[in-house]
């Protein structure tokens, strides 16, 4: 299984960090992670991922994996928050595939 195949219709994550079917793959600043001051947000993301690894290690866990339910809930939440934002109306932001997971948004603008 390849991530590009799983995400063919757009990224689907849990907290922007985990992807269902890819155990122990943790992303700092992955899709659906917080936006804003990149340097500060990256720091928060790395701290959170490090904390998750420490939490799992202290409990003897050898596997960290997102559930399908968690991925669906988080991705839907992120997409809902983004409704009406200009960045979601420009196809280069998501390759024109993401709008509510249904594909290219009708009338979406393409950046050059």
């Amino acid at each position: 299984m390849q991530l590009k195949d799983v995400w063919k219709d757009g990224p689907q994550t849990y907290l922007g960090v985990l992807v269902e079917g890819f155990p122990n793959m943790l992303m700092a600043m992955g899709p659906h992670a917080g936006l804003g001051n990149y340097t500060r947000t990256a720091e928060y993301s790395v701290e959170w991922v490090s904390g998750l690894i420490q939490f799992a290690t202290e409990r003897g866990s050898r596997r960290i994996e997102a559930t399908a339910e968690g991925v669906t809930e988080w991705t839907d939440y992120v997409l809902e928050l983004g409704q009406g934002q200009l960045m979601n109306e420009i196809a280069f932001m998501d390759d024109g595939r993401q709008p509510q997971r249904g594909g290219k948004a009708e009338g979406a603008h393409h950046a050059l």
Side-chain angles (χ1 to χ4, degrees), residues 5-112:
D5 297 328
V6 173
W7 285 1
K8 71 182 181 314
D9 295 323
Q12 300 174 33
T13 72
Y14 180 67
L15 303 177
V17 176
L18 298 161
V19 178
E20 178 191 8
F22 293 83
N24 297 335
M25 182 181 89
L26 305 170
M27 302 177 292
M29 295 303 295
H32 305 153
L35 298 173
N37 179 307
Y38 186 83
T39 304
R40 190 67 184 133
T41 304
E43 185 177 340
Y44 289 137
S45 185
V46 168
E47 288 173 359
W48 195 90
V49 168
S50 298
L52 178 59
I53 292 169
Q54 182 177 357
F55 178 87
T57 301
E58 288 171 355
R59 284 153 184 78
S61 297
R62 298 180 57 146
R63 186 179 181 104
I64 301 170
E65 185 172 8
T67 65
E69 180 182 5
V71 168
T72 298
E73 287 180 10
W74 180 255
T75 301
D76 288 347
Y77 174 72
V78 169
L79 293 175
E80 182 180 317
L81 287 177
Q83 287 183 356
Q85 293 184 5
L86 178 60
M87 64 185 260
N88 293 321
E89 301 300 323
I90 301 174
F92 81 87
M93 296 299 289
D94 63 12
D95 233 2
R97 297 172 295 187
Q98 186 72 23
Q100 305 306 33
R101 290 196 201 149
K104 184 178 179 298
E106 193 66 35
H109 303 282
H110 291 272
L112 300 175

